[in-house]
Amino acid sequence: MRGTGAVGRRAQRAKWHPTVDRTDNVLLLLDSDKLPIFEPGLDDIVAACKNKNLFFSTDVHKHVEEADIVFVSVNTPTKVKGIGAGYAADLTYWESAARMIASCTFKDKIIVEKSTVPVKTAEAIEKVIKRNMPNSGCRIDVLSNPEFLAEGTAVADLMSPDRVLIGGRQTESGLQAVQKLVSVYAHWIPRERILTSNLWSAELAKLTANAMLAQRISSVNAISALCEVTGADVEEVARCVGTDSRIGGKFLRSSVGFGGSCFQKDILNLVYICECNGLKEVAEYWRQVILMNNYQKRRFVHRIVSSMFNTVNGKRIAVLGFAFKKDTGDTRETPAIDVCGGLLADNATVCVYDPQVTEEQVHQELEEGQFEWDHPHRSPSKKLFSKQILCYKNAYEAAKDAHALCILTEWDEFRDLDYQKLFDNMVKPAFVFDGRNVLNHDHLRKIGFVVYAIGKPILLD
């Protein structure tokens, strides 16, 4: 496997390793007792497989030359400058990997795309490899095998996925390559869950899946705004809608907004592809999913400021949760960036607690420009907001002398906090802004909190 990005770090139950990367410090961490990412259950899998059928190495050329199948899991970040900046995927790392693979190709190989890529990327990769490999007589087949693991449940998704998708060219050679990869997954995945398709369908399916999941979140978030002004309850609406078997209940939970490394990046990529193919109306349709997500975050900040007498200047706001979702330390595109940024712009003091996010991560996310997180030149934080952003080791310390609590990540531990204790140590009136709808709001009001929640009727005290 080439690359140790978020996809490449997944330990997998087949004999295709070693995993190789040119980044020594990443591989040292992967080969240590403490993995550089938090993912429930991943430590146990890596420990069980390491030095048996899972190996880590920086000797890229040696292992790629020996391999029959090469999985490529390099970054495909959103471009930050040049043509397509802010939308298009930057394939610099993919092309670099392809040229390196070409230089090591002295026998037939199957190259597998694991990264999320624009449609037709495989065609470009084929050209780069075939025109640069030393032995022009070697057979090269490029397959698309997009990753559908979700952070926080990646191990469970790996062991029992809804589906595995493998796309290849509909030629004799391409179909044979597809079946070879099918046989690898068939070691632990029922054959009926292994889907095969043509190459372009597989590449587009990943973008479409993420776009449609994000679309559902933005759809219910749009309704949450209407619920707040009409007295409806978004959770009741979502439950009623979700019981329709044609719709289903997944991804209908309203929140402060979606985040993570995939949804926004993939939708923007989809928008760019549509625009490049002259599909303006289609591009605008998908762009609205992003615009609604941005609106939801702005709306949440406005609710905080307007509820607290139209100013948070000099006030301490305790932010509980900075990761984009629970059970991960991933802060890429987390809604907390925009919420904290809005509060900082109004001169609030933001007190952050997240069980898996470091102080360095918090400062880094708030200092960097959009999309910089996925590029390798990322520099250490300069602590530009060191007087306004304070990080704590538990929720009670973060909430001490705070004017408000903001729940921005749905960590289970936040449900079980002693809210009477929190209330007693806060400035009054004490506010709670539940951006994930995970708390018992009636209980909080009985304690004395002024409570605002996403998509819930606004109760004026």
Side-chain angles (χ1 to χ4, degrees), residues 19 209 226 265 310 312 323-324 340 382 387 391 420 436:
T19 292
L226 185 59
K265 182 183 77 168
N310 286 314
V312 292
F324 85 93
C340 292
K382 297 178 181 178
K387 293 183 179 180
C391 295
Q420 182 65 62
R436 296 291 180 171

Side-chain angles (χ1 to χ4, degrees), residues 109-112 126 130 139-143 171 173-174 177:
K109 289 189 189 299
I110 297 173
I111 313 301
V112 184
E126 282 179 346
K130 288 180 178 179
R139 191 177 78 186
I140 295 296
D141 292 289
V142 179
L143 304 180
T171 62
S173 174

Side-chain angles (χ1 to χ4, degrees), residues 287-403:
R287 198 192 317 271
Q288 289 301 315
V289 175
I290 298 294
L291 295 179
M292 178 54 61
N293 194 52
N294 293 338
Y295 165 73
Q296 185 77 341
K297 291 180 285 189
R298 290 196 308 271
R299 198 170 70 83
F300 190 76
V301 174
H302 184 266
R303 172 66 66 197
I304 295 170
V305 176
S306 62
S307 301
M308 297 179 68
F309 319 113
N310 286 314
T311 180
V312 292
N313 187 357
K315 296 178 180 178
R316 292 172 65 93
I317 311 296
V319 168
L320 302 188
F322 199 87
F324 85 93
K325 61 187 284 191
K326 72 174 185 176
D327 293 333
T328 180
D330 195 343
T331 56
R332 294 174 291 181
E333 299 296 343
T334 173
I337 296 171
D338 296 272
V339 173
C340 292
L343 295 173
L344 291 171
D346 222 64
N347 206 35
T349 297
V350 179
C351 307
V352 179
Y353 165 66
D354 189 293
Q356 290 296 331
V357 176
T358 66
E359 182 178 3
E360 172 71 15
Q361 281 179 276
V362 172
H363 283 275
Q364 199 166 38
E365 294 292 1
L366 293 170
E367 291 172 16
E368 290 184 334
Q370 193 174 30
F371 308 126
E372 292 289 345
W373 50 264
D374 212 11
H375 291 264
H377 58 262
R378 200 173 200 194
S379 56
S381 165
K382 297 178 181 178
K383 301 291 194 302
L384 298 178
F385 299 103
S386 59
K387 293 183 179 180
Q388 282 184 272
I389 284 282
L390 307 173
C391 295
Y392 292 89
K393 295 182 179 180
N394 61 64
Y396 300 102
E397 291 179 5
K400 183 174 173 54
D401 297 325
H403 292 75

Side-chain angles (χ1 to χ4, degrees), residues 221-343:
N221 279 344
I223 297 302
S224 75
L226 185 59
C227 286
E228 289 173 21
V229 298
T230 60
D233 184 321
V234 70
E235 291 188 330
E236 293 179 349
V237 173
R239 185 173 70 250
C240 294
V241 171
T243 54
D244 187 325
S245 60
R246 297 168 299 175
I247 298 173
K250 292 185 177 181
F251 279 77
L252 287 182
R253 189 172 185 86
S254 187
S255 70
V256 66
F258 61 75
S261 64
C262 296
F263 283 0
Q264 176 162 290
K265 182 183 77 168
D266 290 354
I267 293 173
L268 292 173
N269 191 1
L270 188 60
V271 168
Y272 184 72
I273 293 169
C274 292
E275 288 179 338
C276 289
N277 285 280
L279 302 174
K280 180 181 178 181
E281 290 80 5
V282 180
E284 286 303 313
Y285 174 83
W286 288 111
R287 198 192 317 271
Q288 289 301 315
V289 175
I290 298 294
L291 295 179
M292 178 54 61
N293 194 52
N294 293 338
Y295 165 73
Q296 185 77 341
K297 291 180 285 189
R298 290 196 308 271
R299 198 170 70 83
F300 190 76
V301 174
H302 184 266
R303 172 66 66 197
I304 295 170
V305 176
S306 62
S307 301
M308 297 179 68
F309 319 113
N310 286 314
T311 180
V312 292
N313 187 357
K315 296 178 180 178
R316 292 172 65 93
I317 311 296
V319 168
L320 302 188
F322 199 87
F324 85 93
K325 61 187 284 191
K326 72 174 185 176
D327 293 333
T328 180
D330 195 343
T331 56
R332 294 174 291 181
E333 299 296 343
T334 173
I337 296 171
D338 296 272
V339 173
C340 292
L343 295 173

